Every structure is written in structure tokens, then in C-alpha cells.
């Protein structure tokens, strides 16, 4: 009989392992013989205790008495239940005498945590749950599951109930993670176990006080039909872990981060928790190495390109936050208030796996002496270097917090923005096109109101606006003779340089011309259109063009990652399906026509 390691090497996800890993895995396997009709797992029964691989014979997957799939040699079962810790979605039964290899949970997670393993989980998750119809007991597809399928019952308490009694209702056998309160004026309040821990640590409120004094309000909510992946992104952006679910204006359930964690072992929230909980930089690097796997799983689950950019941007923010933690732990508390600034795609929540880091640092500047800047210079360098080790390259123009040009006191930042408008030469134009897309990623210094006021006033500076209009046409779209896709000598086009940058620059001009200060390109288009700065038809066309260009870019990333390569922006038009090629050409044509309508 064929050795188990060579057998496994021919089947996913084991085909992604090297020979040494396969030999070690095979040596740890238990070989089990099963009789015809023998049941291995029971639908809605005890969760799987390991990963099973069919070696000989065949296995049936049964849902509500019907055989929905037959597994042959090399196919796996039990992994969805094992990863989620939830009851099996199927009864697994021997169709004929069969031999199986069984792997304990630790070995199974080592395999399923590889790139090939994540692809395998995402693929089988879709195939098997589609075949049976999605059930609330299975490991739900992260792209198609509504929050209604995974929410828990909402638990309310009287606002006047003592905090001491409310604490007793949190946790317990029911796993209640949050209590809801009905407050005056039809407002909702929420108290979570995290709030209770903070109370106990701080001692600012007595345990006999009414629970309303501990409640947070207003409360973010999600509609019952919202997709789980959308709720995941919204919860990440808001920095919360519990949201009430609303149906026709009434609370019908509660969604927690732990519910979302069960969707996928590599969910966005799960990875973010791992990043923020990394004990050291080595652990952080291991955690961020899973970003390509997460991206690929989300692409295959059908997540929109807009949400993909938001998820990646939020993961990027988590990495920055943890690197800042490490630097402060090494060197002590910062000497004064500061802010770490994201620029470019990260600021616009449009980060990709091929994006460089663009960032800066601002500090209060109230203390004299070079030691203050020296502290922040070191902080900036350590974050920049850490991001590189986590796979995020440095910007080739040096837009980095560790660089003196992008690290300065608050007053110097304000002066820089003023000079960009008052002295609109080439140097200030370049700085404006970078820094005017900004977002505070960490730190307590709030420069946003003053910087935003200067951005809003940009339209009052005609010479500056003429230069911005010129920059919006400075990057031609990748279209050649008769509207054909223009490629380099290698038959590829740079979708970032020939598609994304021209469109982003174009939309930035319209945003500045209309006093719009929001950063996201899609949101800018909508805001400018709503303000009358663009006709509705032109605004809709630009929005569709941005979606098509971004989708083509992310599809390229997914292909590269699936092939075991690094994501880049080089698309081969000849390899695109005719429909995708036509959509990209039409999107670029829309951008070129919009460029021509800009003032000279």
C-alpha cells in the first residue's frame, strides 16, 4: 500500500507541505478502519475532535436524511466543525468499508493554517454549505451569511438595577456578554463584561449604583439582513465587539465578535485580535503572514473590493498600533502628545497587499530640546522598520514617519499646509497630494480639525487649484491607439499607475474644488455629486469605474497569491476574460474622458 505521506502529498491541503512536514504529519496519524454504515459524526451532535482524511473506500455526507455528497480517497471531513467548535453540519457515514487517517486538533490546525489550508477551508466551506443550504449549525460562509444566522438573543435589564446584580447576569451558562438597557427618549444603552472589568479596575462607580450609570449610549446597531462580513467591517471600524440587531425598528438579537470568530478560523476580527495580542515582533510577523490567506479567502467568498480595502486598512492600523506599543515598552512613555498619521491608500481605507507605507508623525511641540524629536524619530523608524518586516514596503519617495520631512511639531504641520496653498510650487504640490489624504492612526494629539479646515479652504486659492487640476491629468490612463489597453514591452500594464492614481487624483481635485474633506475615493465621489459638483450620471460612472479598476487590481492580487507569489499591480490584459477586459477598458475610458473635462 502507498505510504501515507506520498498519498497525502497528492491531495489538498497537504499538497502545500514540504516532504519533511508531510513525513512528520504522517507519523502522527492514526489509521482507523470503518465498517459500511458506521457513523463517524452526527449532524447537530458532538463537534469533531480531529481532521479525517479518506484513505480507502468512500464516505457519505448526509443532511436531514439525504445524501448530499460522497467523499472518496484524499478528501477530508470534520475540519469545519473542528475549526468552529460547533456541531457538525452533516452526518458522516461510511458508504462502504473505508480506511481513514485521523489527525489530532494540533496537527490539523498546523495543516489548515497554511496558505493551502486556508484555500482548502474556504473552498470546501462554499461547496458543502451550498450543497445543503446554509444552516445555523454549520461553519458559515463569511461572504453570504446574514447576521440573523449567528446572532444571540438580546438580554435586557432594568436601568435602575444595581450594578452588583447586573454583573451576576453577565457570563454564566448562557454566555451573556452584554446587557441592553432602555433609556429615556427611546435610547438604547449597553453594558458589557469589558465595561465591568474597567469598573472594577477603576473603582469610579460603586457596585450599588444603578447600572444606567455604567451604560454606554448611543449604541451602534446593525440591521437583521446585513451580511456578517459587512457587520465585521463596521464593528472593526467602530472599535466595538457587541452590537444589537434591529428588525423593523426593534431589537431582535445581539451580535458579538465571538460569534463572528466562528465564521472562519481566519476571519478579519480573528486576525486583528491575533495582531493586537502579539507578544513580540516575531509573533506580530507570524500573525501578519496570514494577511494574504485572509485576503484570498475573502475574495473567494465574494467580498466586494470596497470592503476588501477597508479590511486590509484596518489590519494595517492594527499592525501600526502594536508596533507603537513595542517601541513605547522599550523606550518609555512619549514625552508629549503625538499622533501617527496615515497618508495615501491607508488614509483612504483603500489599502492593498501591494501598497507601500505612507505615514508621518506629529507631536505637540510644547517642550524645547532635541530629545523630544529624537524620541519620535526613533518611534517613527521602529514603526517603519517593523512594517517592512511585516511585509509592507517603504515608500520610494520617503514618505515615512522616521524621515524628518514627515515628522514635525503640530505648528510646523499647520504651517506646511498653509504654505502648500499660499506657495503652490512643484514641491508643495507633491506634499499636498500626499498629505491632504491623511488620517490619524494612533496617538492622542488631534490635528484633524485644523488640518481639515485648511483643506476645505483650498478652493479659495486659484493657483493651487490649477496645479491640482494639472496633477489630475499628469498620470495618463493606460489606454493607447483606438482605446486599446496600453501595455509595456512585457505585455502587462501597471493598474496602479495607469488606472488607480489617475482616478484618485481626479477625484481629489473635485473634492477640493467642492470643499469635500472626506478621504475615501468612493465617498468623495458621492459627496461631490450630492453637492452638485458633478452631474449624477458622471458621478455614477466614476464610481463604477473605480469599482471596476479596483476589482481588476484585487483579482490580480488573488491570482498571484494563489500561485504562491507576492501581490503586485502588473496586469496581463491578454490573460483576462473578454468581459473583464472590456470592463477595464471601459472604466479607463471613463477616467480619460473625465480628465479631459477638467479646467486647463
Amino acid at each position: 500500500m502507498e505510504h501515507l505521506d506520498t498519498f497525502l502529498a497528492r491531495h489538498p491541503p497537504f499538497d502545500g507541505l514540504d516532504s519533511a512536514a508531510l513525513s512528520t504529519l504522517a507519523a502522527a496519524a492514526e489509521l482507523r478502519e470503518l465498517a459500511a454504515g458506521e457513523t463517524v459524526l452526527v449532524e447537530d451532535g458532538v463537534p469533531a475532535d480531529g481532521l479525517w482524511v479518506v484513505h480507502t473506500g468512500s464516505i457519505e455526507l448526509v443532511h436531514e436524511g439525504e445524501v448530499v455528497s460522497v467523499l472518496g480517497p484524499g478528501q477530508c471531513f470534520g475540519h469545519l466543525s473542528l475549526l468552529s467548535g460547533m456541531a457538525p453540519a452533516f452526518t458522516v457515514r461510511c458508504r462502504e468499508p473505508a480506511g481513514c487517517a485521523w489527525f489530532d486538533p494540533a496537527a490539523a490546525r498546523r495543516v489548515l493554517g497554511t496558505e493551502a489550508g486556508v484555500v482548502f477551508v474556504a473552498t470546501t466551506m462554499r461547496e458543502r454549505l451550498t450543497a445543503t443550504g446554509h444552516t445555523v449549525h454549520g461553519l458559515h460562509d463569511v461572504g453570504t451569511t446574514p447576521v440573523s444566522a449567528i446572532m444571540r438573543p438580546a438580554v435586557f435589564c432594568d436601568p435602575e438595577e444595581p450594578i452588583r446584580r447586573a454583573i451576576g447576569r453577565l457570563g454564566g451558562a448562557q454566555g451573556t456578554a452584554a446587557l441592553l438597557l432602555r433609556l429615556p427618549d427611546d435610547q438604547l444603552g449597553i453594558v458589557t463584561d469589558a465595561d465591568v472589568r474597567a469598573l472594577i479596575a477603576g473603582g469610579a462607580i460603586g457596585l450599588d449604583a444603578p447600572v444606567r450609570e455604567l451604560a454606554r449610549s448611543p449604541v451602534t446597531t446593525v440591521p437583521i439582513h446585513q451580511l456578517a462580513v459587512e457587520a465585521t467591517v463596521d464593528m472593526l471600524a467602530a472599535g466595538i465587539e457587541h452590537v444589537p440587531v434591529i428588525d423593523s425598528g426593534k431589537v431582535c438579537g445581539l451580535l458579538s465578535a465571538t460569534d463572528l470568530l466562528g465564521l472562519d478560523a481566519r476571519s478579519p476580527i480573528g486576525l486583528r485580535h491575533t495582531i493586537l495580542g502579539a507578544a513580540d515582533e516575531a509573533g506580530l510577523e507570524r500573525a501578519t503572514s496570514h494577511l494574504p490567506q485572509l485576503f484570498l479567502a475573502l475574495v473567494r467568498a465574494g467580498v466586494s473590493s470596497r470592503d476588501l480595502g477597508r479590511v486590509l486598512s484596518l489590519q494595517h492600523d492594527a499592525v501600526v498600533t502594536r508596533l507603537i506599543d513595542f517601541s513605547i515598552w522599550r523606550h518609555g512613555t512619549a514625552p508629549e502628545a503625538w499622533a501617527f498619521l496615515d497618508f495615501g491608500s491607508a488614509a483612504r481605507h483603500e489599502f492593498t497587499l501591494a501598497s507601500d507605507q505612507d505615514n508621518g508623525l506629529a507631536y505637540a511641540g510644547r517642550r524645547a530640546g532635541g530629545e523630544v524629536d529624537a524620541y519620535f524619530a526613533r518611534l517613527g523608524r521602529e514603526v517603519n522598520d517593523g512594517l517592512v518586516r511585516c511585509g509592507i514596503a517603504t515608500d520610494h519617495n520617503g514618505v515615512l514617519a522616521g524621515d524628518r520631512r514627515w515628522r514635525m511639531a503640530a505648528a510646523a504641520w499647520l504651517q506646511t499646509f498653509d504654505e502648500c496653498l499660499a506657495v503652490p510650487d512643484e514641491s508643495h504640490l507633491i506634499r499636498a497630494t500626499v498629505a491632504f489624504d491623511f488620517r490619524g492612526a494612533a496617538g492622542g494629539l488631534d490635528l484633524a480639525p485644523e488640518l481639515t479646515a485648511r483643506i476645505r479652504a483650498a478652493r479659495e486659492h486659484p493657483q493651487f487649484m490649477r496645479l491640482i487640476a494639472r496633477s489630475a491629468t499628469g498620470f495618463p490612463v493606460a489606454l493607447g491607439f483606438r482605446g486599446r489597453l496600453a501595455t509595456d514591452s512585457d505585455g502587462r500594464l501597471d493598474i496602479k499607475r495607469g488606472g488607480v492614481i489617475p482616478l484618485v487624483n481626479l477625484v481629489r481635485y473635485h473634492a477640493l474644488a467642492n470643499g469635500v474633506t472626506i478621504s475615501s475615493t468612493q465617498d468623495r465621489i458621492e459627496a461631490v455629486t450630492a453637492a452638485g459638483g458633478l452631474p449624477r450620471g458622471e458621478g455614477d460612472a466614476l464610481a463604477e469605474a473605480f469599482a471596476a479598476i479596483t476589482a481588476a487590481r484585487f483579482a490580480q492580487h488573488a491570482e498571484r497569491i494563489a500561485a504562491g507569489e507576492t501581490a503586485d499591480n502588473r496586469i496581463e490584459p491578454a490573460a483576462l476574460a473578454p468581459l473583464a477586459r472590456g470592463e477595464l477598458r471601459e472604466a479607463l475610458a471613463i477616467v480619460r474622458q473625465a480628465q479631459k473635462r477638467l479646467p486647463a
Side-chain angles (χ1 to χ4, degrees), residues 306 350 507 516 518-528:
R306 185 173 189 174
E350 294 162 7
V507 174
V516 171
I518 196 168
S519 292
S520 162
T521 300
Q522 290 279 30
D523 289 341
R524 281 174 168 171
I525 294 171
E526 179 57 36
V528 169

Side-chain angles (χ1 to χ4, degrees), residues 74-153:
Q75 292 185 281
C76 302
F77 62 90
H79 52 291
L80 302 183
S81 176
L82 174 69
L83 287 177
S84 66
M86 302 173 77
F90 315 95
T91 291
V92 179
R93 185 174 62 207
C94 280
R95 188 181 185 88
E96 58 180 316
C100 292
W102 178 87
F103 300 95
D104 66 29
R109 290 190 174 95
R110 283 198 300 272
V111 175
L112 298 173
T114 64
E115 182 176 336
V118 171
V119 171
F120 171 77
V121 169
T123 301
T124 55
M125 180 167 53
R126 176 175 292 278
E127 290 174 350
R128 295 179 189 180
L129 293 183
T130 298
T132 62
H134 295 292
T135 72
V136 296
H137 304 289
L139 180 61
H140 295 283
D141 185 301
V142 80
T144 59
T145 303
V147 297
S148 60
I150 57 173
M151 68 184 185
R152 303 182 185 193

Side-chain angles (χ1 to χ4, degrees), residues 321-507:
T321 297
R322 202 56 174 160
L323 288 169
I324 290 172
D325 289 341
F326 294 152
S327 183
I328 290 175
W329 291 347
R330 281 191 293 267
H331 307 295
T333 305
E336 59 180 21
W338 56 276
F340 191 93
L341 304 175
D342 276 339
F343 302 127
S345 60
R348 297 191 301 271
H349 284 115
E350 294 162 7
F351 199 73
T352 79
L353 292 178
S355 293
D356 298 333
Q357 50 173 302
D358 296 286
N359 47 59
L361 256 172
Y363 51 90
R366 297 189 179 96
R367 294 182 57 180
E371 68 276 5
V372 173
D373 185 69
Y375 178 96
F376 291 111
R378 180 177 57 212
L379 174 64
R381 286 195 305 270
E382 291 187 355
V383 173
N384 293 150
D385 294 345
L387 287 170
V388 170
R389 289 191 294 273
C390 290
I392 303 172
T394 56
D395 177 69
H396 67 276
N397 291 318
V399 183
L400 301 167
D403 189 308
R404 190 67 185 88
R405 295 171 297 173
W406 299 95
R407 183 190 70 256
M408 60 187 95
W413 275 107
L414 299 178
Q415 181 181 348
T416 297
F417 271 48
D418 287 336
E419 290 174 352
C420 286
L421 302 178
V423 189
D425 54 23
E426 192 66 26
S427 174
H428 284 111
L429 175 65
I430 293 172
R431 184 173 284 268
T433 57
V434 173
F436 279 23
D437 290 354
F438 81 93
R439 179 169 59 86
L445 180 66
D446 187 10
L447 277 178
E450 293 176 280
L451 295 181
T452 299
R454 287 157 171 79
I455 294 172
R456 187 174 290 112
R459 56 182 171 174
E460 300 170 9
H461 298 265
Q463 188 176 352
F464 172 79
M465 291 304 300
R466 280 194 292 272
L467 285 178
I468 287 289
R470 191 183 307 165
S471 76
T473 58
F475 284 83
V477 298
L479 288 177
F481 184 65
R482 292 183 177 177
R484 294 178 180 175
L485 294 174
T487 61
D488 296 329
S489 58
D490 62 356
R492 298 175 182 271
L493 67 83
D494 187 328
I495 189 62
K496 178 180 179 179
R497 185 176 181 84
V500 175
I501 292 178
L503 181 48
V504 167
N505 286 353
L506 171 74
V507 174

Side-chain angles (χ1 to χ4, degrees), residues 194-438:
D195 297 325
V196 171
R197 289 195 298 272
L199 167 67
I200 294 173
I205 304 175
L207 293 179
D208 292 320
V211 70
R212 58 178 166 75
E213 293 190 16
L214 186 59
R216 288 180 287 112
S217 183
V219 179
T220 300
T221 62
V222 297
I224 191 170
H225 299 300
Q226 186 175 37
L227 297 182
V229 67
E230 295 170 344
T232 299
V233 173
D234 291 342
M235 289 170 71
L236 283 169
I240 56 178
E241 295 195 355
H242 307 280
V243 290
V245 181
I246 304 297
D247 185 17
S248 301
K250 297 181 179 179
V251 176
C252 61
L254 184 75
L255 184 67
S256 297
T258 51
D259 303 318
L260 294 165
L261 284 169
L263 287 172
D264 190 346
R266 297 294 181 197
S267 70
I269 282 183
L271 183 56
R272 183 173 181 271
H273 275 254
T274 302
I275 289 172
L276 291 175
D280 51 33
E281 294 204 16
L284 183 62
E285 291 165 31
R286 287 193 297 272
T288 54
S289 70
H290 295 299
L291 268 173
Q293 301 165 2
L294 168 66
F295 172 81
L296 191 59
L298 293 177
V299 168
R300 292 181 172 179
V303 177
S304 72
S305 56
R306 185 173 189 174
D307 277 343
L308 285 169
R310 292 176 67 190
V311 167
L312 293 175
S313 298
L314 291 165
Q315 303 296 345
H316 167 271
D317 287 354
V319 176
V320 168
T321 297
R322 202 56 174 160
L323 288 169
I324 290 172
D325 289 341
F326 294 152
S327 183
I328 290 175
W329 291 347
R330 281 191 293 267
H331 307 295
T333 305
E336 59 180 21
W338 56 276
F340 191 93
L341 304 175
D342 276 339
F343 302 127
S345 60
R348 297 191 301 271
H349 284 115
E350 294 162 7
F351 199 73
T352 79
L353 292 178
S355 293
D356 298 333
Q357 50 173 302
D358 296 286
N359 47 59
L361 256 172
Y363 51 90
R366 297 189 179 96
R367 294 182 57 180
E371 68 276 5
V372 173
D373 185 69
Y375 178 96
F376 291 111
R378 180 177 57 212
L379 174 64
R381 286 195 305 270
E382 291 187 355
V383 173
N384 293 150
D385 294 345
L387 287 170
V388 170
R389 289 191 294 273
C390 290
I392 303 172
T394 56
D395 177 69
H396 67 276
N397 291 318
V399 183
L400 301 167
D403 189 308
R404 190 67 185 88
R405 295 171 297 173
W406 299 95
R407 183 190 70 256
M408 60 187 95
W413 275 107
L414 299 178
Q415 181 181 348
T416 297
F417 271 48
D418 287 336
E419 290 174 352
C420 286
L421 302 178
V423 189
D425 54 23
E426 192 66 26
S427 174
H428 284 111
L429 175 65
I430 293 172
R431 184 173 284 268
T433 57
V434 173
F436 279 23
D437 290 354
F438 81 93

Side-chain angles (χ1 to χ4, degrees), residues 510 534 538 542 590-600:
H510 285 295
L534 284 171
E538 186 175 343
L542 285 174
I590 289 171
V591 178
R592 184 160 68 180
Q593 288 301 315
Q595 285 179 324
K596 292 178 179 178
R597 288 191 286 269
L598 290 178

Side-chain angles (χ1 to χ4, degrees), residues 161-172 176 179 191-192 196-197 199-200 207 211 214:
E161 182 173 311
I163 294 173
R164 187 185 309 277
R165 188 182 304 168
I167 289 175
R169 299 175 61 185
L170 289 168
T176 303
L179 298 173
V191 172
T192 71
V196 171
R197 289 195 298 272
L199 167 67
I200 294 173
L207 293 179
V211 70
L214 186 59

